[in-house]
Amino acid sequence: MVLYGVLFSAVLGSAARAGSTAYPYPGGDHWIRQIDEDGKLIELNDRSLWVVSSPETEALAPWIPASEVTLQPANPDDSDEYHLINVDTHQSIEAHYVGQCSNADAPPGINP
């Protein structure tokens, strides 16, 4: 998990420098690939990376890898802010899209 934390840190740093980016695939047909141990970062099945808004990290407790999610834009003025909605629990959290994880970024044993 430490390697993954380093990966997320590198991606977050580059995303912050690049400015906001709209997520190209909102809607359904997504599932959680991984959640970091702090509950602040999520990777979806399409290798997209998301930062959970600070007050909502505790709400992620019942969310687990393989949970199906739907993505909806949260704010028309902020192109990288989305509602991630857990299809099973109907719980919604806000998160910011920070970019894509490439194959080269994947830790050993994790295939995109």
Side-chain angles (χ1 to χ4, degrees):
M1 191 58 91
V2 172
L3 177 61
Y4 220 52
V6 171
L7 163 67
F8 277 126
S9 296
V11 170
L12 292 178
S14 64
R17 288 187 299 275
S20 64
T21 304
Y23 179 65
Y25 310 108
D29 296 327
H30 301 287
W31 50 269
I32 296 173
R33 183 181 184 105
Q34 186 164 344
I35 301 173
D36 82 326
E37 57 194 39
D38 294 330
K40 295 179 182 176
L41 302 161
I42 298 174
E43 178 185 356
L44 296 182
N45 60 305
D46 65 355
R47 306 296 299 217
S48 60
L49 300 174
W50 300 82
V51 176
V52 177
S53 299
S54 295
E56 302 194 74
T57 56
E58 293 177 18
L60 267 179
W63 294 44
I64 59 171
S67 295
E68 187 176 343
V69 296
T70 298
L71 305 165
Q72 296 177 347
N75 181 348
D77 297 328
D78 188 354
S79 64
D80 69 345
E81 186 178 5
Y82 290 79
H83 293 291
L84 277 63
I85 304 164
N86 186 315
V87 172
D88 295 326
T89 66
H90 304 287
Q91 180 184 24
S92 174
I93 60 168
E94 286 189 20
H96 289 270
Y97 171 63
V98 294
Q100 295 292 127
C101 179
S102 72
N103 292 353
D105 294 332
I110 297 180
N111 297 315

